[in-house]
């Protein structure tokens, strides 16, 4: 009885917090036009991120303790992104301009958390050197800083694009051929190896959407309005895949491994 009461209090607190965030973020919303497809995409992903946050936090009760941190991080990623998407949506709807600063503040927090997930799922099944964590962080920061300098106008867009790509390739090397990949191959059970492989595919193909968005936003020579539309729709689509799907992979392996441990 006491356990159920604690769960109920925890869930109501979560819902209350999310409702408060939603109401505050919506307080200054402008009217959304039915032909504003970029604005509509901001609305869709903000709602999807809130729903995902609730799901990940509630599902923590289904998994064993060693997987709870991974699900918590997944929920934090979608929660942080949802809050930023409320503000990005308002900037776009009110001004029609790209919310670059809000987007990169979001990425500066959530992308390192996504990289931490690689470290966490490996740490749940093996002892992982801290160097793996720091190499993933360095690659992430190089990628993000390069992209921001180009989009904010602090550096040549081509040079910044190349710097960001170098950071991304460094991450790919670590998860495909570096120490993280070797630990996964040597120590992880099949379910974790499968999740690790799927996460690598998201970082490879899902994250490839971001350079495509950057290219269409700054390097095609199209009109500013067309460039802004393409940039934001592509970035929004990428965030749906890379934040929510990434968390669902973590959830799937966490539930699978927890159920196996209960049967053992």
């Amino acid at each position: 009885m006491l356990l159920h009461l604690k769960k109920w209090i925890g869930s109501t607190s979560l819902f209350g917090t999310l409702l408060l965030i939603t109401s505050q973020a919506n307080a200054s919303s402008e009217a959304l036009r039915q032909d504003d497809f970029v604005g509509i995409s901001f609305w869709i992903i903000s709602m999807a991120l809130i729903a995902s946050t609730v799901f990940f936090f509630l599902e923590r009760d289904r998994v064993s303790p060693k997987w709870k941190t991974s699900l918590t991080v997944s929920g934090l990623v979608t929660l942080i992104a949802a809050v930023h998407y409320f503000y990005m949506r308002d900037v776009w709807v009110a001004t029609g301009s790209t919310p670059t600063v809000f987007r990169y503040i979001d990425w500066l927090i959530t992308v390192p958390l996504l990289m931490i997930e690689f470290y966490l799922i490996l740490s749940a099944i093996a002892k992982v050197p801290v160097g793996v964590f720091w190499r993933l962080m360095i690659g992430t920061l190089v990628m993000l800083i390069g992209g921001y300098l180009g989009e904010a106008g602090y550096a040549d867009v081509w040079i910044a694009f190349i710097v960001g790509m170098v950071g991304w390739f460094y991450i790919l090397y670590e998860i495909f051929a570096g120490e993280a990949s070797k630990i996964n191959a040597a120590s992880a059970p099949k379910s974790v190896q499968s999740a690790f492989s799927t996460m690598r595919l998201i970082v490879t193909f899902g994250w490839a959407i971001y350079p495509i968005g950057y290219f269409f936003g700054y390097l095609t020579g199209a009109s500013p309005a067309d460039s802004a539309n393409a940039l934001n729709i592509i970035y929004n689509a990428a965030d749906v895949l890379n934040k929510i799907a990434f968390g669902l992979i973590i959830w799937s392996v966490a539930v699978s491994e927890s159920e196996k441990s209960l049967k053992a």
Side-chain angles (χ1 to χ4, degrees):
M1 181 69 178
L2 181 59
L3 178 61
H4 288 298
L5 179 61
K6 288 181 178 180
K7 289 182 179 179
W8 181 83
I9 293 172
S11 63
T12 51
S13 300
L14 171 61
F15 282 111
T17 302
L18 293 174
L19 287 173
L20 178 61
I21 292 171
T22 304
S23 61
Q24 289 177 337
N26 287 338
S28 61
S29 294
E30 301 286 336
L32 178 65
R33 301 190 316 273
Q34 64 182 7
D35 62 345
D36 183 2
F37 298 110
V38 179
I40 291 170
S41 72
F42 276 112
W43 268 95
I44 291 173
I45 188 173
S46 60
M47 293 300 103
L49 288 165
I50 283 290
S52 301
T53 299
V54 174
F55 176 78
F56 291 138
F57 284 156
L58 293 180
E59 284 294 293
R60 291 180 75 256
D61 292 333
R62 288 187 61 189
V63 302
S64 58
K66 68 180 181 180
W67 292 105
K68 289 184 184 295
T69 301
S70 295
L71 277 187
T72 299
V73 171
S74 296
L76 288 175
V77 166
T78 52
L79 176 60
I80 293 166
V83 173
H84 284 90
Y85 260 84
F86 287 132
Y87 289 102
M88 287 192 284
R89 181 199 66 204
D90 283 350
V91 169
W92 176 265
V93 172
T95 68
S97 59
T98 299
T100 302
V101 174
F102 282 122
R103 195 179 289 280
Y104 271 90
I105 292 173
D106 169 28
W107 286 348
L108 189 61
I109 301 171
T110 58
V111 176
L113 286 175
L114 291 175
M115 286 294 95
I116 288 173
E117 291 283 34
F118 279 102
Y119 183 80
L120 289 175
I121 68 167
L122 292 179
S123 297
I125 49 88
K127 183 173 177 59
V128 184
V130 71
V132 172
F133 170 84
W134 286 114
R135 285 194 293 274
L136 290 172
M137 287 302 100
I138 290 171
T140 300
L141 291 176
V142 170
M143 178 180 67
L144 291 173
I145 291 171
Y148 178 73
L149 291 177
E151 294 202 47
Y154 292 115
D156 177 80
V157 290
W158 272 110
I159 293 176
F161 179 76
I162 293 170
V163 171
M165 294 294 285
V166 168
W168 179 40
F169 290 148
Y170 184 80
I171 292 170
L172 291 177
Y173 170 79
E174 178 62 29
I175 61 178
F176 275 95
E179 192 170 9
S181 176
K182 294 174 182 177
I183 293 172
N184 174 62
S187 305
K190 287 185 178 181
S191 59
V192 174
Q193 289 188 17
S194 176
F196 193 92
S197 297
T198 307
M199 289 163 62
R200 288 192 303 197
L201 291 177
I202 289 181
V203 173
T204 304
F205 298 105
W207 287 22
I209 302 172
Y210 295 116
I212 293 172
Y214 187 103
F215 180 82
F216 279 100
Y218 300 101
L219 302 174
T220 62
S223 68
D226 289 341
S227 296
N229 287 342
L231 174 79
N232 285 284
I233 287 179
I234 293 172
Y235 278 173
N236 291 355
D239 277 347
V240 168
L241 172 64
N242 296 320
K243 291 184 170 70
I244 298 176
F246 208 90
L248 288 174
I249 295 168
I250 300 295
W251 165 79
S252 177
V253 69
V255 170
S256 175
E257 287 299 301
S258 299
E259 290 177 348
K260 285 181 181 179
S261 64
L262 287 175
K263 293 176 181 178

